[in-house]
Amino acid sequence: MRNTALSEQKKHCRTKTITQEILKTIVKRERILVLTGQGKLAVRPGITDGLVYNPFKKEPESPLK
């Protein structure tokens, strides 16, 4: 019962946070709202390119140097 209550509380907090983000987006009249970290990386390709490119560049025998 306690675990269920804690789970419900987390859901409530998450729902409240999402609702606040949606309201902010509506007030700012923005068309796109991205809530997940993975989604935010997908929206900003420059960041994603760096995250993919840099590890390859650091490899010992990398042709990207």
Side-chain angles (χ1 to χ4, degrees):
M1 192 168 183
R2 181 173 171 237
N3 288 334
T4 304
L6 290 174
S7 175
E8 290 298 319
Q9 186 178 9
K10 287 180 183 178
K11 282 182 185 177
H12 177 68
C13 290
R14 187 171 45 214
T15 305
K16 185 177 178 181
T17 303
I18 291 171
T19 306
Q20 289 172 347
E21 290 298 320
I22 291 170
L23 287 174
K24 285 181 195 176
T25 304
I26 292 170
V27 168
K28 292 180 179 180
R29 295 181 173 255
E30 294 177 350
R31 295 181 67 193
I32 299 173
L33 171 63
V34 181
L35 295 171
T36 64
Q38 187 177 14
K40 289 178 183 183
L41 286 175
V43 172
R44 297 190 177 122
I47 294 172
T48 307
D49 292 343
L51 290 173
V52 172
Y53 177 77
N54 289 334
F56 285 122
K57 189 172 130 182
K58 291 178 182 178
E59 290 180 356
E61 296 179 16
S62 175
L64 300 175
K65 291 182 181 183

